[in-house]
Structures are given as C-alpha cells and as structure tokens.
Amino acid sequence: MWRLHQHPLCPFSRKVRLALGEKGVEFDMVKVAPWDAPDSFYSLNPAGRTPVLQHREKKIVLADSQAICEYLEEVSDERPLILGTALGRAEIRRLVALFDEQLWGDVTGPLMHEKYRKRVHLRQGPDSRVLRSAMRLLHEHMDYMDWLIDNRRWLAGAQLSLADFAAAAQLSVIDYLGGIEWSDHKGVHEWYRVMKSRPAFRGLLADKVEGLPPPRGYNDPNS
Amino acid sequence: MWRLHQHPLCPFSRKVRLALGEKGVEFDMVKVAPWDAPDSFYSLNPAGRTPVLQHREKKIVLADSQAICEYLEEVSDERPLILGTALGRAEIRRLVALFDEQLWGDVTGPLMHEKYRKRVHLRQGPDSRVLRSAMRLLHEHMDYMDWLIDNRRWLAGAQLSLADFAAAAQLSVIDYLGGIEWSDHKGVHEWYRVMKSRPAFRGLLADKVEGLPPPRGYNDPNS
Ligand SMILES: N[C@@H](CCC(=O)N[C@@H](CS)C(=O)NCC(=O)O)C(=O)O
Ligand SMILES: N[C@@H](CCC(=O)N[C@@H](CS)C(=O)NCC(=O)O)C(=O)O
C-alpha cells in the first residue's frame, strides 16, 4: 500500500492528498515535521521535505509534490487532473507553479513561519509587519484568481484540474492559520466552497495540529 | 517562429534554451530584466518572471520553465529529455525540482542578488556572510551531485535527461558569478565539462551581461 509522509499544514502534502483522493488511490499517512526531521527521513528524501510517497512492497519512493502528481497522472486513468491538449496542460502547469511557488512564497510560507512555527515550536510572537505584507499579497493573488474564475469555469479552463487543487491546498492552510477575508472575493469564495465540499477535501479539513485550533468556519463547506 | 523572453543570467531561461537547442527548435530571443519589467511583460506572464516562450503567429504564450519543458516534451519527438518509465520520469522531475528550487534558493538566487543585482543595479557591495553561506551550501549540493554521478551514468540514471540540463543551467550561472572551486568535486567537474561541450551549451556560454564579465575558463569546455 502507498504511504504518504506528510505534515498536516504542508500545502504540498495537501495537494498530493487531494490528488490521491480524487484518483481513488488508497494510502495511509505518517506525520513528519520536515524542519525537525529524523535522519531516516533524509534517506527517503535528501531534500528533507514533505511530501514523500512511498510503496514499501514495491520499493518505490517518490518526492516532490509535482513529480508525485505527474507520476499519479501517468499510472492512473482515474479522474485526469493534468488534462486536455498540450496547451491546456501547459496552462495547468503554469498555474500550479504560480500557486506552489508564488502564493506559497508570498503568503502561505510566511504565515506558517509566523503563526505556526514561531508559536508552537519557537514560542515567539509573530512579526506584525510580515503578517501585514502577507495579507496584502494574498489580496493580490485572490484578485488574480477572481479574474480567472470570472473568465473560466475552473481556474485553468473548462475542466476541474490540478491547478484548482494546488490553489485550494494553499488557501486551506492560509484559512487554517487565521481565516481569509472573503468579502472582496466573492468569485473565489464560491469556487472554494465547491472545492471544500469534495469528499477528498472533507477528510483533510478534519485534521488539526496540536496547540493551534483552526478558526470557525474553516471546515464548513457552507461557510 | 518561437520567441524566448529571457534574461542571460536567469538559470530557468538557460534551462529552456538548452531544451530548445537539444530538440532543434528554432527560436529568437528578447532580453527582459524581470525585476524591472515593463507592463507589457506582465500581460505575457502575470507572474512577472522569465522565461516566457511565445509564438506570435499561433498566439501561444507559455510561462514557467518546467511547464515549457513539459510542453516541448509533449509536442516534439526529438531527443526526449523526460524519458523512460513513469518511475524514471518521476526521478528526473524530483531532481529538476531539487535544482530549480533548492540549488536556486540556497546558492544561485543569493549569488545573483549579491554579485549581480547589487553591483550592477543597486551599486552596493555584496554581503560576505551571505556569500559564505551560499558557498558552503554549494559544496553540499555538489557532494550530492558527486554521489549521483558515482552511482549513475547521468544525474537521473542511465540516460542524459532534463535533470542534467537543469543542474548545468544553475551551475553555469554560479560559475559566471565567481567561478566554482572544482578541486573537491572531480566527478561533477568531469560531467560539467561534457555538458559544456554540447552545441546547445556553447551558444549560451558566449552570452555576457554588461558590467560583469565572466571569469576565465567559464566558457572553455576543457577548463
Ligand atoms: N516543491 C516542493 C516543496 C516542498 C516543501 O517546501 N515542503 C516544506 C513543508 S510545507 C518543507 O518540507 N520544508 C522544509 C525545508 O524546506 O527544509 C513540493 O512541491 O513538494
Ligand atoms: N519556477 C520559475 C522560476 C522563474 C524565476 O524565478 N525567474 C526569475 C529570474 S531567474 C525571475 O523572473 N524573478 C523575478 C521575480 O520573481 O519577480 C521557472 O522555472 O520559470
């Protein structure tokens, strides 16, 4: 059976959980804190990062969420997530990279550090300037997502794709870490409610980390 | 015809140039400084980043080096670069991500900022602590590459692949920005000499940026 080495607040782990869930692949999970990982984790992934997808019987070890999602896409015919023409797939991958790198680098990563790692591991308060800058950049990202949703059925085009799951994975962590101000972003809000109601998403939203409960509404698809 | 919007010291632009060259795709180039890009560049790529690959007649605009390389792989049969079984391709993509994200984040990105942007654009000197830390991390990355090369014909396995070009693209920029201390890394050095002698690589090594000449040996495949 597949085993996912993951952290509950890691958006890349969440992206892979969603892809596995959508494709109906069975897996169990092991929790890893990548910033404090044991040597055994580095032997699975020299990059020392979550997620890692392992199949012990078949001696398979896969690392990097995008390499994992591309692999799942190649070996499974269930619910294609990188789908369409070569151009359509390039658009999906462009957006996945935008969310995985820029939404993460501008917003999710800084919030994780300030609101989770500092509080739970380093016992420090957050830096309010970093928080303000992250919230400002979040609004810019959500403006762009609003524009996409205004012009397309889903983020990358006519079909639900990995771009939607990559974006929703980041937003779900941002939402856990303090809630999102949805009032200026009705389009994204409506889209995110639909994402939250998918079966693969519901399990993920039930997860909690110790010492930091999620805000109200976080796991409610109607909120 | 294809047009690549690129910066001569951007390793992701270099990776795409190498892929286009290996596949024998004709293209011309436009230089963009992404940290100071005109509005027209944002309309091509809302992420504001190089590289962007455009085909004006066909009205195609592709952004993100990995999305571009996956696209080229899907539409061209020439010299496959993401090749082999699904597992082999996952290994190639894992290593591409390692070089594009971690080698870039630990070494190439900080050196670009300290040695190129500060000097040429901001007229400041580099921070020697940042340089020292980048050089230390470079040695760790090269130790890992030595280990790969000791155990495999090419970085990702028996075949030359996009992993080799992604790594060589980063190393070529690092080398431009101050030379690499090869003495402790004979395996990587030998491999890099072979990469440098490929036709697609030779054109790229002839490029210079104003105000910052490359060090001796930089574009010599025997050095
Ligand atoms: N591109 C990688 C990013 C993975 C990543 O950054 N994971 C974080 C946790 S959310 C991590 O392990 N950070 C620890 C580190 O970088 O040392 C992926 O998509 O899997
Ligand atoms: N993942 C992207 C990274 C591209 C990237 O970071 N490009 C740099 C130049 S080397 C850039 O445009 N930086 C400007 C910015 O991020 O604002 C890719 O592979 O294309």
Side-chain angles (χ1 to χ4, degrees):
Chain A
M1 183 152 92
W2 290 104
R3 165 162 291 181
L4 185 67
H5 301 257
Q6 59 91 39
H7 187 277
L9 287 187
C10 167
F12 310 102
S13 302
R14 288 182 173 216
K15 174 182 152 198
V16 171
R17 285 172 72 172
L18 293 169
L20 289 164
E22 290 287 332
K23 288 180 180 289
V25 178
E26 276 198 67
F27 64 104
D28 66 14
M29 295 196 294
V30 176
K31 183 177 163 180
V32 182
W35 38 82
D36 195 20
D39 288 349
S40 59
F41 185 64
Y42 282 84
S43 66
L44 285 180
N45 181 12
R49 292 175 150 187
T50 52
V52 169
L53 186 64
Q54 180 179 30
H55 198 298
R56 292 172 81 159
E57 296 76 28
K58 297 190 188 157
K59 297 196 192 311
I60 298 177
V61 180
L62 305 171
D64 184 74
S65 70
Q66 194 56 20
I68 295 170
C69 290
E70 297 275 358
Y71 174 86
L72 294 174
E73 199 66 19
E74 292 181 2
V75 300
S76 148
D77 294 328
E78 289 298 313
R79 181 166 291 282
L81 294 172
I82 307 173
L83 74 183
T85 62
L87 273 180
R89 288 191 294 272
E91 177 64 359
I92 293 167
R93 292 186 178 112
R94 174 183 78 84
L95 288 172
V96 169
L98 184 77
F99 302 129
D100 280 5
E101 296 176 20
Q102 289 180 295
L103 183 53
W104 161 255
D106 289 342
V107 186
T108 327
L111 290 184
M112 280 256 281
H113 186 75
E114 296 299 326
K115 295 194 137 187
Y116 172 63
R117 293 210 51 216
K118 274 192 172 174
R119 171 157 168 183
V120 173
H121 296 110
L122 312 168
R123 311 219 169 263
Q124 295 169 10
D127 180 332
S128 59
R129 276 185 322 176
V130 176
L131 296 183
R132 267 201 305 277
S133 143
M135 294 325 276
R136 192 176 45 73
L137 292 169
L138 173 59
H139 277 296
E140 289 182 17
H141 281 282
M142 288 174 74
D143 280 344
Y144 182 58
M145 293 169 66
D146 272 328
W147 180 86
L148 291 172
I149 296 270
D150 263 4
N151 288 280
R152 303 167 167 186
R153 173 74 188 84
W154 298 94
L155 291 179
Q159 312 272 346
L160 175 68
S161 79
L162 190 61
D164 298 285
F165 291 102
Q170 299 287 335
L171 284 188
S172 73
V173 175
I174 296 167
D175 199 29
Y176 191 112
L177 291 172
I180 293 176
E181 186 48 76
W182 295 106
S183 52
D184 293 333
H185 305 284
K186 302 257 182 273
V188 186
H189 196 183
E190 203 39 62
W191 161 89
Y192 187 59
R193 282 201 188 103
V194 175
M195 297 302 289
K196 282 214 269 190
S197 65
R198 298 191 73 81
F201 221 111
R202 299 196 56 76
L204 182 155
L205 292 177
D207 266 13
K208 296 193 173 74
V209 289
E210 226 176 299
L212 192 69
R216 271 187 55 198
Y218 163 75
N219 66 7
D220 177 357
N222 300 313
S223 163
Chain B
M1 184 151 91
W2 290 104
R3 165 162 291 181
L4 186 66
H5 301 258
Q6 58 92 39
H7 187 277
L9 287 187
C10 167
F12 310 102
S13 302
R14 289 182 172 217
K15 175 183 152 198
V16 170
R17 285 172 72 172
L18 293 169
L20 289 164
E22 290 288 332
K23 290 180 179 289
V25 178
E26 276 198 67
F27 64 105
D28 65 14
M29 296 196 294
V30 176
K31 182 176 162 179
V32 182
W35 39 83
D36 196 19
D39 288 350
S40 60
F41 185 64
Y42 282 84
S43 67
L44 286 180
N45 182 10
R49 292 174 152 189
T50 53
V52 170
L53 186 65
Q54 181 180 29
H55 198 299
R56 291 171 81 161
E57 296 75 28
K58 297 190 185 156
K59 296 196 192 310
I60 298 178
V61 180
L62 305 171
D64 184 73
S65 71
Q66 194 56 19
I68 294 171
C69 289
E70 298 275 358
Y71 174 85
L72 295 174
E73 199 67 18
E74 292 181 4
V75 298
S76 149
D77 294 328
E78 290 298 312
R79 180 167 291 282
L81 294 172
I82 307 173
L83 74 184
T85 62
L87 273 180
R89 287 193 294 274
E91 177 64 358
I92 293 167
R93 292 185 178 111
R94 174 183 78 84
L95 288 172
V96 168
L98 184 76
F99 302 129
D100 279 6
E101 296 176 21
Q102 289 180 295
L103 182 53
W104 160 257
D106 289 342
V107 186
T108 327
L111 290 184
M112 281 258 280
H113 187 74
E114 296 299 326
K115 295 194 137 189
Y116 172 63
R117 294 211 50 216
K118 273 193 173 174
R119 171 157 168 183
V120 174
H121 296 109
L122 312 168
R123 313 220 169 262
Q124 294 170 11
D127 180 332
S128 58
R129 275 184 323 175
V130 175
L131 295 183
R132 267 200 305 278
S133 142
M135 294 326 273
R136 191 175 45 73
L137 292 168
L138 173 60
H139 278 295
E140 289 181 18
H141 281 283
M142 288 175 75
D143 280 344
Y144 182 59
M145 292 169 67
D146 273 328
W147 179 86
L148 291 171
I149 296 270
D150 264 4
N151 287 280
R152 302 166 167 187
R153 173 75 189 83
W154 298 93
L155 291 178
Q159 312 272 346
L160 175 67
S161 79
L162 191 61
D164 298 284
F165 291 102
Q170 298 288 334
L171 285 188
S172 72
V173 175
I174 297 168
D175 199 29
Y176 191 112
L177 292 171
I180 293 176
E181 186 47 77
W182 294 107
S183 52
D184 293 333
H185 305 285
K186 303 257 181 272
V188 187
H189 196 183
E190 204 37 64
W191 162 88
Y192 187 58
R193 283 201 188 103
V194 175
M195 297 302 288
K196 281 216 268 189
S197 65
R198 298 191 72 82
F201 221 109
R202 299 196 57 77
L204 182 154
L205 292 177
D207 267 13
K208 295 194 172 73
V209 290
E210 226 175 299
L212 193 69
R216 272 187 54 199
Y218 163 74
N219 66 7
D220 177 357
N222 300 313
S223 163

